[in-house]
Amino acid sequence: MSTPSAQAPMRLDVEGLDQHYGSAQVLRGVALSIEPGACLAVLGRNGAGKTTLLRCLSGLIPASSGRIAFDGAEVGPLSSDRRARAGLATVPQGREIFSDLTVAENLRVAARAHGLERTDAIDEAAALFPALRDLWHRPGGNLSGGQQQQLAIARALATRPRLLLLDEPTEGIQPSIVSAIEAVIAGLKGRITVLLVEQYLDFAIRLADSCVVLSRGQVVERGTRGEISHADLSRHIAV
Ligand code: ADP
């Protein structure tokens, strides 16, 4: 499958990351690395700190301490905008597509923000989700949840990211669309580095080269796909 990535995938390193909301500590010394082009799953129950970790990585909230490095260079002082220009794209949990803009406009706005309006980045991203072509002139707000999720992923890919952060892309999505999303993420392997936050364990295991499990803001388990058993992972995730 061809993908919209034109640049080399990014290496991500996180060390000793702490984060607080007021006096409540939410992340505790989180450390992880993703090799360029690999997929890391971040697993954990609700409230474990997964979304907070993504928000720290994308620069939406400051970490209290610790180090985040893109290709070995510390990005702590960089705004979310600068991190996006360095090649990071996020598909947030609420999808956050522009509901008044059409599918085509949602993609164009994202690509334009990255100076890609005259490239084929939009067509390449849309081609990954053929269903979007039939919805091209529909307002984003009129799409189903699954269609919005496909649009949110296509929109992130239209920026030609080098690192893609996905926050629970399967949440509330019907199985046929989950399969389409899985095929697209699988096709990114080797081309775009992916950090996948998930609660749907089987989906994450099929895609990820390695995984970390967060519990109360701490990494309590980590390993490559073959190193950690399904039973161990589900024990950490089961409510
Ligand atoms: P997860 O994504 O694993 O479900 P979150 O990162 O959303 O976990 O939340 C981790 C913890 O931080 C939870 O206890 C949650 O209630 C708390 N939290 C999340 N966002 C905020 C916020 N904006 N202000 C205060 N506490 C928050």
Side-chain angles (χ1 to χ4, degrees):
M1 191 186 296
S2 75
T3 74
S5 174
Q7 294 175 294
M10 187 189 289
R11 178 185 173 84
L12 175 70
D13 292 292
V14 176
E15 292 163 18
L17 200 70
D18 292 333
Q19 204 277 333
H20 296 75
Y21 289 119
S23 60
Q25 186 164 6
V26 173
L27 296 180
R28 298 164 191 274
V30 172
L32 55 85
S33 292
I34 319 181
E35 296 290 328
C39 175
L40 174 80
V42 175
L43 306 164
R45 295 186 179 109
N46 268 338
K50 304 181 297 298
T51 297
T52 300
L53 172 63
L54 292 195
R55 289 168 64 79
C56 286
L57 295 178
S58 57
L60 290 173
I61 52 174
S64 320
S65 57
R67 180 173 182 271
I68 299 169
F70 292 177
D71 287 334
E74 162 97 58
V75 297
L78 297 188
S79 65
S80 56
D81 192 45
R82 292 279 302 279
R83 294 185 202 194
R85 275 188 271 140
L88 179 145
T90 305
V91 180
Q93 204 167 12
R95 296 161 202 142
E96 294 174 19
I97 60 167
F98 297 116
S99 56
D100 293 337
L101 300 187
T102 65
V103 166
E105 288 165 345
N106 265 280
L107 296 173
R108 265 187 227 120
V109 164
R112 194 176 298 143
H114 285 72
L116 293 169
E117 55 209 302
R118 288 205 301 264
T119 75
D120 47 10
I122 295 167
D123 287 338
E124 287 172 13
L128 296 172
F129 293 107
L132 292 180
R133 279 291 177 195
D134 300 331
L135 305 164
W136 207 237
H137 300 296
R138 288 262 292 274
N142 285 7
L143 307 186
S144 72
Q147 291 164 342
Q148 288 187 356
Q149 188 64 277
Q150 292 175 87
L151 174 56
I153 296 171
R155 189 180 61 173
L157 293 174
T159 69
R160 292 195 158 147
R162 303 174 56 223
L163 170 63
L164 179 65
L165 310 180
L166 294 158
D167 199 350
E168 299 200 31
T170 69
E171 191 189 21
I173 306 292
Q174 68 191 68
S176 63
I177 295 184
V178 169
S179 301
I181 290 172
E182 182 174 335
V184 167
I185 299 172
L188 303 179
K189 197 149 285 190
R191 299 162 188 266
I192 298 175
T193 307
V194 174
L195 190 158
L196 171 66
V197 163
E198 257 306 331
Q199 299 219 40
Y200 178 3
L201 185 54
D202 290 335
F203 177 87
I205 288 174
R206 285 196 297 270
L207 286 168
D209 303 292
S210 56
C211 63
V212 301
V213 179
L214 278 187
S215 176
R216 294 179 188 176
Q218 273 185 307
V219 175
V220 293
E221 190 90 64
R222 70 172 75 236
T224 60
R225 190 188 349 209
E227 281 171 356
I228 314 181
S229 74
H230 191 287
D232 274 346
L233 289 173
S234 48
R235 182 169 52 82
H236 282 297
I237 291 168
V239 181

